Amino acid sequence: MIYVGAKNVSGTSTYKFLERALSDRKDQEVILFQIREKGLDTRFDPIARDFVRIAAAVNLADRQVRRSTRSGHRPRSFNVTVTVSDVALWRRVSQLVEAMASFASQDLWRLEFAQSERTAGILAEPAPAADVVALFSGGLDSLCGAAHLTGRDEDVLLLTHSPPSRERVDTMVRQLPKLLRGGTPSRFHLGSISVVPEQRDTAGRRSRFQEFTRRTRPFLYLSIAAAAAIVSGARRVQMSENGALGSSLPFRRSHYGPRITRQGHSFMLEGFE
């Protein structure tokens, strides 16, 4: 279960989120979501699954609570409680986790951790062994990153949180060794971890997830990368980003403050390292 207390310019609110696999739908106030994984299964490792749960908690809270549209973009305040497998471990790094979430969204975050008692589903699909996890969106930046890894004789796990067609990705990546003709070809594996909320209430009304900016995307992306690295045994995570976004530059007039994505910023990367 994920408990969220939030404050924005409209006032205070509370929410409860629960993974659908653990739900019996007795609580009508709970918002259900799914963690969908393909090509790997983080439930094989409790700490990897904790990374995914925490990422889901931050991402769902961010999407549920509307950001201010007034001048100055007043920050929101979040108090989030999420269940994990190792409470003591996560409490030791709670300030760092909060700093990463706060920097990503430019809001105030406080995270509490409670002991998890249940696990979801059947363990079925372990991750393939990998030397490197490469974040892969299907765009030009991540395709260049895959090309960079092509001739290194490595096992590469290409990971996305918003998977494009697996067939299209496979077609793009499989062509790289032949096109580049350098070194010993690497072996590519495809994987995805996505957090999918149910955006309708029990009466079927579409009334949830009003915030569209999704500035916690860097936190989600790097968290699932860490989870994938743990279960695959990878020693490296590669993020490929163009210069403007990697440096968090405002490349449009409307981009400033919380409107600037920070996924490639050195503070985020060093924090997750």
Side-chain angles (χ1 to χ4, degrees):
M1 181 75 76
I2 298 167
Y3 299 92
V4 176
K7 182 178 181 181
N8 63 359
V9 292
S10 300
T12 59
S13 52
T14 59
Y15 305 96
K16 292 186 289 186
F17 299 91
L18 182 63
E19 194 172 348
R20 170 176 272 284
L22 301 177
S23 171
D24 54 13
R25 277 195 172 273
K26 290 181 179 179
D27 190 339
Q28 298 297 312
E29 300 302 318
V30 166
I31 302 174
L32 300 179
F33 68 96
Q34 297 180 58
I35 295 174
R36 296 177 182 171
E37 299 181 336
K38 292 184 178 181
L40 74 167
D41 192 333
T42 59
R43 291 171 297 181
F44 277 96
D45 188 288
I47 302 304
R49 195 61 172 182
D50 287 350
F51 260 110
V52 178
R53 284 198 189 100
I54 294 168
V58 170
N59 183 253
L60 291 168
D62 173 43
R63 294 175 64 181
Q64 177 66 28
V65 180
R66 191 75 170 91
R67 184 185 298 280
S68 169
T69 57
R70 300 177 184 178
S71 176
H73 294 275
R74 290 168 58 184
R76 301 164 295 175
S77 178
F78 294 95
N79 287 278
V80 179
T81 300
V82 56
T83 55
V84 294
S85 66
D86 191 334
V87 173
L89 184 153
W90 289 103
R91 283 178 178 170
R92 288 199 297 272
V93 295
S94 61
Q95 290 184 336
L96 178 59
V97 177
E98 292 166 352
M100 294 297 97
S102 297
F103 186 78
S105 73
Q106 297 296 283
D107 295 300
L108 304 175
W109 290 85
R110 179 175 176 80
L111 276 76
E112 297 287 343
F113 303 104
Q115 186 63 45
S116 175
E117 297 179 355
R118 300 170 65 185
T119 58
I122 299 173
L123 307 182
E125 193 174 12
D131 298 299
V132 56
V133 172
L135 294 171
F136 192 84
S137 66
L140 182 59
D141 298 342
S142 56
L143 184 59
C144 288
H148 175 68
L149 295 169
T150 294
R152 297 190 168 209
D153 190 23
E154 292 185 310
D155 287 296
V156 180
L157 176 60
L158 296 178
L159 180 71
T160 180
H161 75 89
S162 181
S165 166
R166 289 175 66 87
E167 293 77 14
R168 181 167 65 88
V169 172
D170 187 67
T171 300
M172 284 191 294
V173 172
R174 300 298 174 190
Q175 294 179 24
L176 292 177
K178 181 178 178 180
L179 293 172
L180 297 176
R181 296 179 183 151
T184 304
S186 293
R187 298 159 295 281
F188 290 99
H189 313 278
L190 307 181
S192 66
I193 304 174
S194 54
V195 178
V196 184
E198 294 191 3
Q199 301 192 36
R200 297 182 185 273
D201 61 21
T202 53
R205 296 180 296 249
R206 187 179 179 86
S207 60
R208 296 181 174 132
F209 301 101
Q210 302 300 312
E211 180 53 41
F212 62 90
T213 58
R214 302 188 186 183
R215 281 294 172 250
T216 55
R217 181 178 180 270
F219 188 93
L220 172 65
Y221 218 5
L222 291 168
S223 293
I224 66 171
I230 291 171
V231 297
S232 68
R235 304 292 295 178
R236 309 194 320 274
V237 171
Q238 176 177 291
M239 172 185 280
S240 304
E241 191 62 87
N242 69 68
L245 290 179
S247 301
S248 301
L249 296 177
F251 57 91
R252 295 193 183 103
R253 287 186 178 182
S254 61
H255 283 201
Y256 60 90
R259 292 190 175 187
I260 301 174
T261 182
R262 289 170 166 80
Q263 67 189 46
H265 196 284
S266 59
F267 183 82
M268 292 295 297
L269 301 182
E270 290 172 6
F272 270 89
E273 183 180 22

